[in-house]
Amino acid sequence: MSYFDDELIAELRSHNIAFNILPANDHASIVREINENIPFSGSKIAWSKLNNSMNFGGDLTDSPTSRLAKEIKKVADDTIIIVGDSVCDDAYCINLEQLEEALSVFSEIPQHTYIVQKQLNWIACISFEGDIDFALLKPSIPQTPRR
């Protein structure tokens, strides 16, 4: 665990954000899936090569992380996985209900932070350069309302 993971964990706890650290083999599997299925240009995702990609950096009406959270909630189920590419050693699982607060915390970390789910139907990224992007990778199946 890195210094940034220690700081991140303290910050998540101070905001009462529930999380789990993804086991190392699951973390490696998610990273492998991203690297094998997502086009990159250097160290960044090549968003222009993905259909249905969106950038939230220029949205001045709402915070970009709030807009990203709303977009993710349209297609996500309950558990979200957040993986960094440099300063954080661990991957974090959070509940969809706390996504917006968690994205606010993760947006302060100087790395590319990828937000996904295990099935990799979509991907989002908050980059250390200030870009906030999202793309559907597979058509989403409309979720049946719960009773």
Side-chain angles (χ1 to χ4, degrees):
M1 185 177 299
S2 74
Y3 164 80
F4 278 99
D5 286 296
D6 292 337
E7 292 293 314
L8 174 59
I9 288 168
E11 190 69 18
L12 291 171
R13 287 182 177 150
S14 77
H15 289 278
N16 295 317
I17 298 171
F19 67 92
N20 291 312
I21 294 176
L22 199 63
N25 58 339
D26 292 345
H27 182 173
S29 176
I30 289 289
V31 170
R32 186 172 44 258
E33 285 289 316
I34 291 170
N35 287 330
E36 290 174 358
N37 293 293
I38 308 293
F40 278 79
S41 177
S43 66
K44 296 171 80 172
I45 291 177
W47 295 101
S48 63
K49 293 183 179 180
L50 295 173
N51 293 331
N52 304 311
S53 68
M54 301 175 219
N55 179 280
F56 299 102
D59 186 355
L60 301 175
T61 60
D62 203 358
S63 86
T65 54
S66 177
R67 290 264 306 123
L68 177 59
K70 287 176 187 172
E71 201 61 42
I72 290 171
K73 287 179 179 183
K74 291 178 185 177
V75 295
D77 59 27
D78 196 39
T79 304
I80 305 295
I81 301 169
I82 302 176
V83 180
D85 72 347
S86 57
V87 300
C88 289
D89 293 334
D90 294 321
Y92 297 83
C93 295
I94 60 158
N95 189 294
L96 188 58
E97 260 92 62
Q98 294 185 298
L99 178 62
E100 190 170 343
E101 296 87 358
L103 291 179
S104 240
V105 171
F106 279 92
S107 71
E108 299 297 319
I109 299 174
Q111 66 180 354
H112 291 103
T113 300
Y114 300 101
I115 303 100
V116 298
Q117 288 193 290
K118 199 169 197 168
Q119 63 274 20
L120 203 60
N121 291 337
W122 53 268
I123 189 165
C125 180
I126 301 172
S127 77
F128 67 88
E129 297 95 351
D131 294 319
I132 298 178
D133 296 281
F134 171 86
L136 279 174
L137 302 173
K138 300 174 187 170
S140 64
I141 300 168
Q143 295 189 9
T144 307
R146 295 182 185 158
R147 296 179 192 228

